[in-house]
């Protein structure tokens, strides 16, 4: 017969078992399943499954993926006649295997695009027709290969300046603003069922937001399919205000497109400028005082980050009718690009999972927003 001591031990074991399974069941993707997809940008090693703990974290917490780099033009199409599909094939397989919403990033961008795209054999700028033909060939090849598998694409990335005017990129200089509609058109022709997005940073800010609205309206007036707008969300723990984010969602929703946060992270260390710039060509020299938390994040900042995430997810959840996805730019702090940009070699803490892949207070504050 079970004595009191054994009974107490059995009861304790049961409690541990129940709370462990409860813990196991709680995840970002489950907590937000009636709201929107929860995504993560993953790197080459994570795609290759080199770190089993990272894979476990990915599949248990997230239901959407985007490739951090392997689908960018310089990686997938490094030379005119050669494509590197293997890592992207693996990325897509990973998403299919785990029934994830798969996002392709990105088809047309001014960065991480090899110089050959814009010049002829003599190194002179190509004509508009040639450039558009190259764009078509790139987009058709990539999108056709993953037709019916990749669910949505960042078709054009970062075409605007901070004041809402067009960025003077090589695309714009050679082809004018028409390259944008062509990129969307080519993507649609290659896979008419894929969602097609315009993606940019700081488009929550009024001037740039107005430029993005104009750009999307212009495409819509021409009958070109635009499924959604991606607000990147490379933000600071102190800015922008969530009321700006709230009004941006409302304004973009008026266009009848989905709104998504596609590259979310909150830097907690100082930037060498005031605004939330994400122009990857802007880099600065390392200074010790610009790396204040090399030995660990103080509790006060940890808490501030947790509150910030809660504030953001409160706004996003409020607009769950139009917000279709929130994707973090990285799986955990150790992987984040913000350790190396805009200053190389710093220690940043922008994500809800730490370097040991453990949930941070930010993780629990995100869950709390939607816990009943
Ligand atoms: C931009 C791009 C992303 C990525 C980040 C920084 O936001 O859209 O692909 O390069 O910069 O990693």
């Amino acid at each position: 017969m079970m004595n009191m001591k054994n009974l107490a031990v059995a009861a304790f074991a049961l409690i541990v078992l129940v709370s462990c399974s409860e813990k196991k069941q709680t995840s970002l993707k489950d907590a937000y399943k009636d709201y929107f997809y929860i995504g993560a940008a993953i790197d080459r090693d994570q795609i290759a499954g080199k770190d089993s703990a990272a894979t476990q974290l990915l599949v248990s917490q997230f239901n959407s993926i985007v490739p951090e780099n392997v689908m960018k033009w310089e990686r997938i199409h490094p030379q005119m006649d050669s494509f590197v599909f293997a890592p992207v094939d693996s990325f897509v397989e990973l998403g299919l295997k785990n029934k994830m919403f798969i996002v392709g990033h990105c088809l047309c961008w001014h960065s991480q695009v090899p110089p050959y795209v814009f010049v002829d054999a003599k190194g002179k700028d190509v004509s508009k027709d040639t450039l558009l033909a190259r764009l078509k060939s790139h987009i058709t090849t990539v999108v056709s290969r993953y037709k019916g598998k990749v669910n949505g694409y960042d078709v054009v990335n970062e075409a605007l300046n901070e004041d809402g005017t067009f960025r003077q990129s090589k695309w714009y200089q050679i082809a004018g603003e028409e390259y944008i509609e062509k990129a969307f058109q080519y993507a649609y022709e290659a896979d008419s069922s894929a969602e097609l997005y315009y993606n940019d940073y700081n488009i929550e800010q009024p001037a740039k937001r107005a430029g993005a609205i104009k750009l999307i309206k212009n495409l819509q007036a021409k009958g070109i399919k635009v499924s959604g707008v991606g607000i990147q969300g490379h933000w600071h723990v102190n800015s922008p205000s969530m009321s700006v984010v709230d009004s941006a969602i409302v304004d973009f929703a008026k266009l009848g497109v989905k709104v998504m946060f596609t590259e979310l992270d909150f830097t907690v260390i100082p930037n060498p400028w005031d605004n939330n710039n994400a122009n990857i060509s802007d880099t600065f020299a390392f200074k010790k005082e610009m790396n204040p938390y090399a030995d660990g994040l103080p509790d006060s900042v940890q808490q501030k980050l947790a509150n910030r995430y809660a504030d953001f997810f409160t706004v996003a959840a409020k607009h769950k009718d139009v917000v279709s996805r929130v994707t973090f730019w990285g799986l955990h702090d150790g992987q984040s690009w913000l350790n190396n940009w805009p200053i190389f070699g710093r220690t940043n803490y922008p994500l809800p999972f730490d370097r040991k892949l453990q949930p941070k207070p930010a993780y629990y504050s995100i869950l709390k927003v939607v816990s009943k």
Side-chain angles (χ1 to χ4, degrees), residues 288-301:
K288 212 157 182 249
E289 63 268 29
M290 294 301 272
N291 190 26
Y293 309 132
D295 300 327
L297 192 62
D299 287 348
S300 59
V301 186

Side-chain angles (χ1 to χ4, degrees), residues 68 72 105 109 112 157-158 199 232 234 263 278 280 329 337:
E68 190 175 357
K72 289 176 179 170
H105 173 87
W109 188 26
Q112 294 185 260
N157 199 30
E158 305 180 352
N199 193 52
Q232 289 186 0
H234 290 298
E263 305 187 13
I280 63 166
W329 203 249
W337 71 300

